[in-house]
Amino acid sequence: MFEIPTANLPQPHELLPNELTKLAFQTFQQGKSTFGFVHKLLANQAMKQFAPPRSESGANYREEETPKVTQALIDEVRGRLDAMAAVDWQDAEAGVYPASLLFDGAWDELVMNYPRVWLDMPKTWERASKKAFRDFDADVDTTGFPSYYTQNFHYQTGGYLSQESAEIYDLQVELLFNGGADPMRRRVLAPLKAGLSGAFGDVEPKQVQVLDVACGTGRTLKMLRGMLPQASLHGVDLSPTYLRKANQLLSRAAGMLPQLVQGQGEALPYRENYFHGVTCVFLFHELPGPVRQQVIDEAFRVVRPGGTFVLCDSIQLDDSPLLSPMMEGFARTFHEPFYRDYVRDDLAARFARAGFEVVETQMHYMSKYLVGRKPVGA
């Protein structure tokens, strides 16, 4: 991805500082992408050997039942990853966010957690073969959570409620997207900054309030902190263990610690017209349709008139028919009970129903972005 020619590369002394940074970033992204592809290749081989996929009847999937991954599809995915990496660099070079965000990551933890990802795979395979998607250990308390939430998304151990899940989640997602998960998260930064500058350019940086809905382990909040070093940041999530992990991650960063609250996106524990901007990343495909609308309604309620809501989630069927086999495979391979409905949902209509003006729609790699603005007169 993001091809680097091996011949006639300039020598380090011939490069300007920003060119050195760009070359380092290209190499870094190439390494992450290659590692992700190799990991999936090895994992798929191991699964076929030790836990062959089975149909709902218990028999092995017939070859014709499995969505075909063509070379054209592979080329399309690689091209999208290249294009997103280029935009990522352009935004950093333009000063939307510091270039240091391009290399962000707790690499000591990632190295330590990689064996844990492999150790968890047999449990995931077994759970998938048995269609056991409400499989929680006795020490995981599921009481008080919405029914749509108390299941093993991706068949992962503990769902979103165990500490082990919180520890390895970020690495799992990065491997799933071949090193593209963080760049996809960063795509919410530019439209959010543009919205804040356009509507609230006269607000003191320390007075700016930004909320990340379903903040999880805090990756997006950490990026927001890098772009908005003085803003007051807030995060809300249903999982106490993921919030604990977020607090651990965000405590390392400079600046004021974001305020984290356990709560539901469809019933945000904040007063109306409070935030200048709201973000939401990788949540909507794991929500039933009515709850998606409630989250958008709540985002509209808590954002100020003129404020911006930036949503990031999976691409949908109408966005790229060529990638429909991957979308079908994702819903089939992982336990994603609401994904098939999500990829057919009209998100722009839901934004309009809540009262948002849809300012922009973007596509980057495997993700889609809707940028909504609350009318000044609302």
Side-chain angles (χ1 to χ4, degrees):
M1 62 147 289
F2 207 11
E3 293 295 337
I4 306 170
T6 56
N8 302 319
L9 277 175
Q11 297 301 306
H13 67 273
E14 300 174 324
L15 295 169
L16 297 174
N18 66 322
E19 293 174 327
L20 279 171
T21 305
K22 182 177 182 179
L23 180 61
F25 172 58
Q26 291 172 331
T27 306
F28 176 68
Q29 278 299 121
Q30 178 75 33
K32 287 205 301 178
S33 174
T34 301
F35 187 78
F37 277 112
V38 171
H39 167 81
K40 281 211 280 288
L41 177 64
L42 295 175
N44 286 336
Q45 291 299 323
M47 184 179 68
K48 289 177 183 178
Q49 180 69 29
F50 300 109
R54 297 183 179 276
S55 68
E56 294 181 2
S57 64
N60 286 340
Y61 284 133
R62 297 192 305 273
E63 183 178 352
E64 63 268 20
E65 290 178 328
T66 305
K68 298 296 187 296
V69 178
T70 64
Q71 186 60 47
L73 182 60
I74 294 173
D75 292 342
E76 173 72 11
V77 171
R78 288 184 178 274
R80 284 170 170 261
L81 196 51
D82 289 351
M84 181 177 65
V87 173
D88 203 12
W89 168 255
Q90 290 166 7
D91 281 350
E93 189 177 36
V96 175
Y97 43 80
S100 59
L101 286 186
L102 301 175
F103 305 93
D104 182 57
W107 303 112
D108 55 340
E109 284 194 18
L110 294 179
V111 171
M112 179 182 68
N113 285 331
Y114 187 61
R116 297 167 74 173
V117 170
W118 276 97
L119 289 172
D120 189 59
M121 282 184 189
K123 303 175 193 175
T124 302
W125 296 337
E126 182 179 6
R127 203 173 287 115
S129 69
K130 296 178 179 178
K131 304 296 181 184
F133 54 83
R134 294 193 187 273
D135 178 27
F136 293 94
D137 292 337
D139 61 344
V140 176
D141 185 5
T142 61
T143 59
F145 293 98
S147 60
Y148 71 78
Y149 191 73
T150 53
Q151 47 191 315
N152 305 90
F153 290 98
H154 317 154
Y155 290 113
Q156 64 191 38
T157 303
Y160 290 130
L161 294 172
S162 73
Q163 192 61 42
E164 179 70 10
S165 169
E167 294 293 337
I168 64 177
Y169 172 79
D170 287 331
L171 179 56
Q172 287 175 320
V173 176
E174 203 65 48
L175 291 170
L176 174 65
F177 289 113
N178 304 313
D182 274 353
M184 284 194 291
R185 290 186 181 101
R186 283 193 290 271
R187 302 281 56 75
V188 305
L189 300 182
L192 175 66
K193 191 171 187 178
L196 294 176
S197 300
F200 307 110
D202 57 344
V203 176
E204 289 291 327
K206 290 184 178 181
Q207 301 301 317
V208 172
Q209 307 279 347
V210 176
L211 170 67
D212 185 37
V213 178
C215 64
T217 62
R219 294 295 302 161
T220 304
L221 280 171
K222 195 166 187 286
M223 296 170 186
L224 288 168
R225 171 58 70 222
M227 183 180 74
L228 304 169
Q230 299 185 65
S232 178
L233 302 182
H234 303 252
V236 61
D237 198 274
L238 259 175
S239 172
T241 56
Y242 276 57
L243 286 172
R244 189 177 302 120
K245 183 64 179 176
N247 187 67
Q248 176 187 339
L249 172 71
L250 298 169
S251 296
R252 300 173 179 175
M256 185 174 62
L257 189 65
Q259 300 177 44
L260 304 178
V261 174
Q262 185 179 359
Q264 298 176 225
E266 63 268 38
L268 292 173
Y270 307 100
R271 63 179 175 84
E272 64 184 25
N273 300 329
Y274 184 70
F275 296 101
H276 298 87
V278 177
T279 59
C280 183
V281 178
F282 300 155
L283 169 67
F284 272 39
H285 70 281
E286 293 183 342
L287 296 176
V291 180
R292 281 178 225 134
Q293 186 63 56
Q294 290 170 1
V295 174
I296 297 171
D297 291 343
E298 281 291 275
F300 185 84
R301 181 182 67 81
V302 301
V303 77
R304 298 176 184 233
T308 298
F309 176 39
V310 186
L311 171 69
C312 162
D313 214 291
S314 166
I315 55 173
Q316 298 179 289
L317 288 175
D318 289 344
D319 302 326
S320 181
L322 181 61
L323 296 182
S324 60
M326 295 191 71
M327 296 183 223
E328 294 169 8
F330 181 71
R332 183 174 187 166
T333 304
F334 299 89
H335 176 61
E336 289 287 359
F338 311 114
Y339 188 76
R340 286 188 174 92
D341 176 69
Y342 165 81
V343 295
R344 294 170 173 82
D345 200 0
D346 190 340
L347 297 177
R350 291 194 181 280
F351 268 54
R353 195 174 305 151
F356 282 112
E357 298 172 348
V358 178
V359 177
E360 188 178 11
T361 301
Q362 300 180 12
M363 310 292 166
H364 297 285
Y365 187 32
M366 305 301 292
S367 53
K368 177 175 186 170
Y369 304 77
L370 269 75
V371 183
R373 181 191 298 124
K374 186 172 182 175
V376 174

